[in-house]
């Protein structure tokens, strides 16, 4: 069941929580963040609008992050990755675009700074996986450590990516069935578009697997992730590995489907040309004779004979039968 998307507003802080020693959460406002009120909590999670000028200014001046980290969080173009930086991690993950009117393959990016006492997540477009984890926090159904929140976000992003790729797999099955059905007529233009969509997802899913594997490999040494967190991350990495193999399989199938569609179209064209060639061969003698006897010159044989026309028709019929017999004998028809 889909959860509600993040509310559309112009606020730099989409939502935020402060966590006390017991892990209990308290919602934060942007004014509290500006005034430094979030510093009294043991841990803080701030989910910001990356395109907000106020959020960008706060990151540069008041977040406590160095300039290189902030620039990495705010850069326009990025790919999935996880890199250790100081006492925290820079993490970029991607998920399907489930916003209204958007293409799911136009993946949305969730950028994170994960430190022991501070988790900052940023997005330019609504990311439903962040809203999912927000609800888990509000319902008290997730551990509120930074590692657990990161693992939860990775898990929900993988859940949604899995659904999208399963849909792609079903779509490829449908195209295969249509190609195998002689009565079906598939529009060849949909296959290149389908392949483009698959490649667009494939472009980011492979580095996402590498990013999660990096967190699994290095996370235990950082102390940021508990064994339970690493278990969730390892499971997400394994699922992403399966999805990587699935998207590669779908890409190959889409290429084969397009080639088969082209071949089928070529065969249909050749069949029609063959029929036209047979008809031309059958009617060639008739065209020659009628053309010859149709000239308005003297000396045409049978011009004064009342049975000449019938004789000509019979001769032409025999010519057609002979031509068909010859083509049959040569196994051309």
């Amino acid at each position: 069941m889909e959860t509600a998307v993040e509310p559309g507003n112009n606020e730099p802080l989409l939502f935020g929580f402060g966590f006390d020693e017991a892990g209990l959460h308290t919602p934060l406002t942007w004014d509290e963040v500006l005034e430094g009120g979030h510093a009294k909590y043991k841990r803080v999670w701030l989910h910001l609008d990356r395109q907000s000028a106020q959020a960008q200014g706060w990151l540069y001046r008041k977040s406590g992050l160095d300039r290189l980290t902030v620039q990495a969080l705010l850069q326009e173009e990025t790919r999935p990755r996880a890199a250790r930086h100081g006492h925290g991690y820079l993490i970029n993950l991607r998920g399907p675009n489930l916003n209204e009117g958007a293409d799911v393959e136009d993946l949305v990016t969730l950028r994170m700074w994960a430190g022991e006492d501070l988790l900052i997540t940023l997005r330019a477009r609504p990311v439903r996986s962040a809203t999912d984890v927000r609800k888990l926090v509000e319902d008290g159904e997730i551990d509120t450590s930074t590692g657990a929140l990161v693992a939860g976000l990775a898990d929900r992003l993988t859940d949604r990516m899995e659904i999208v790729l399963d849909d792609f797999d079903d779509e490829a099955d449908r195209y295969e069935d249509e190609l195998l059905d002689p009565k079906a007529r598939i529009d060849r233009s949909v296959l290149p578009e389908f392949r483009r969509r698959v490649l667009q997802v494939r472009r980011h899913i492979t580095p996402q697997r590498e990013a999660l594997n990096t967190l699994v490999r290095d996370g235990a040494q950082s102390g940021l992730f508990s064994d339970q967190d690493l278990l969730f991350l390892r499971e997400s990495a394994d699922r992403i590995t399966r999805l990587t193999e699935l998207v590669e399989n779908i890409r190959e199938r889409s290429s084969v489907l397009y080639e088969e569609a082209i071949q089928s179209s070529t065969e249909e064209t050749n069949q029609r040309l063959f029929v036209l060639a047979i008809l031309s061969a059958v009617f060639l003698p008739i065209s020659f004779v009628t053309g010859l006897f149709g000239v308005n010159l003297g000396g045409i044989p049978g011009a004064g004979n009342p049975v000449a026309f019938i004789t000509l028709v019979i001769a032409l019929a025999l010519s057609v039968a002979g031509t068909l017999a010859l083509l049959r004998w040569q196994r051309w028809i």
Side-chain angles (χ1 to χ4, degrees), residues 275-286 319-320 323-324 327 332:
V275 171
L276 291 175
I278 292 297
L279 292 175
S280 299
V282 168
F283 287 101
L284 181 61
I286 298 176
S319 173
V320 170
T323 303
L324 291 174
L327 294 175
W332 290 0

Side-chain angles (χ1 to χ4, degrees), residues 164-180 186 188 190-196 198-199 202 242-262:
V164 169
L165 288 180
D166 285 343
D167 289 342
F168 277 4
D169 195 35
D170 292 341
E171 190 173 351
D173 288 340
R174 187 172 70 254
Y175 291 145
E176 285 181 344
D177 292 340
E178 290 177 357
L179 282 173
L180 291 174
I186 185 171
R188 285 187 293 120
V190 303
L191 293 175
E193 175 63 18
F194 174 63
R195 187 169 184 269
R196 181 197 65 79
V198 172
L199 290 175
R202 176 179 175 269
R242 185 187 72 81
L243 294 179
T244 302
E245 295 169 353
L246 177 61
V247 77
E248 188 65 29
N249 176 263
I250 296 173
R251 182 189 68 83
E252 293 175 357
R253 289 171 64 193
S254 66
S255 298
V256 171
L257 286 170
Y258 183 66
E259 292 173 0
E260 288 182 353
I262 291 294

Side-chain angles (χ1 to χ4, degrees), residues 6-15 30 46-57 59 74 120-126:
E6 299 167 8
N9 54 48
N10 297 320
E11 292 295 325
L13 179 66
L14 299 167
F15 62 81
W30 182 240
L46 303 177
H47 187 52
L48 305 177
D49 183 350
R50 183 174 62 85
Q51 295 181 324
S52 167
Q54 294 183 63
Q56 294 176 11
L59 285 169
L74 296 179
I120 298 176
T121 55
L122 299 101
R123 61 75 164 165
R125 294 172 291 180

Side-chain angles (χ1 to χ4, degrees), residues 88-108:
Y89 279 89
L90 273 170
I91 306 170
N92 292 334
L93 297 178
R94 292 211 173 210
N97 191 345
L98 301 177
N99 298 302
E100 185 176 356
D103 298 325
V104 293
E105 67 274 6
D106 184 19
L107 303 183
V108 293

Side-chain angles (χ1 to χ4, degrees), residues 37 51 63 65 73 89 99 108 131 137 142 149 170 184 209 224 226-227 229 234 259 274 290 321 328:
Q51 295 181 324
S63 66
L65 303 179
L73 290 172
Y89 279 89
N99 298 302
V108 293
T131 309
V137 171
I142 189 173
L149 293 173
D170 292 341
R209 177 187 60 182
L224 188 64
S226 67
D227 291 341
D229 301 335
R234 188 175 294 110
E259 292 173 0
F274 178 72
T290 54
R328 184 70 174 176

Side-chain angles (χ1 to χ4, degrees), residues 24-97:
L24 299 177
H25 71 279
T26 301
L28 296 173
T29 66
W30 182 240
D31 289 338
E32 288 179 288
V33 174
L34 289 178
E35 295 170 2
H38 63 288
K40 64 183 179 182
Y41 296 99
K42 182 179 180 181
R43 284 187 303 276
V44 173
W45 177 19
L46 303 177
H47 187 52
L48 305 177
D49 183 350
R50 183 174 62 85
Q51 295 181 324
S52 167
Q54 294 183 63
Q56 294 176 11
W58 179 84
L59 285 169
Y60 275 113
R61 294 189 293 271
K62 295 185 177 182
S63 66
L65 303 179
D66 61 76
R67 189 174 187 83
L68 180 62
T69 300
V70 175
Q71 288 176 342
L73 290 172
L74 296 179
Q75 63 182 336
E76 288 298 325
E77 296 297 329
T78 186
R79 65 194 297 270
R81 67 165 182 157
R84 184 84 176 269
H85 186 73
H87 299 292
Y89 279 89
L90 273 170
I91 306 170
N92 292 334
L93 297 178
R94 292 211 173 210
N97 191 345

Side-chain angles (χ1 to χ4, degrees), residues 136-161:
L136 292 177
V137 171
E138 293 172 339
D139 294 342
E141 297 179 2
I142 189 173
D143 182 24
T144 55
S145 68
T146 298
L149 293 173
V150 171
L153 289 167
D155 181 63
R156 290 309 173 106
L157 286 168
T158 305
D159 284 344
R160 295 183 181 278
M161 188 74 78

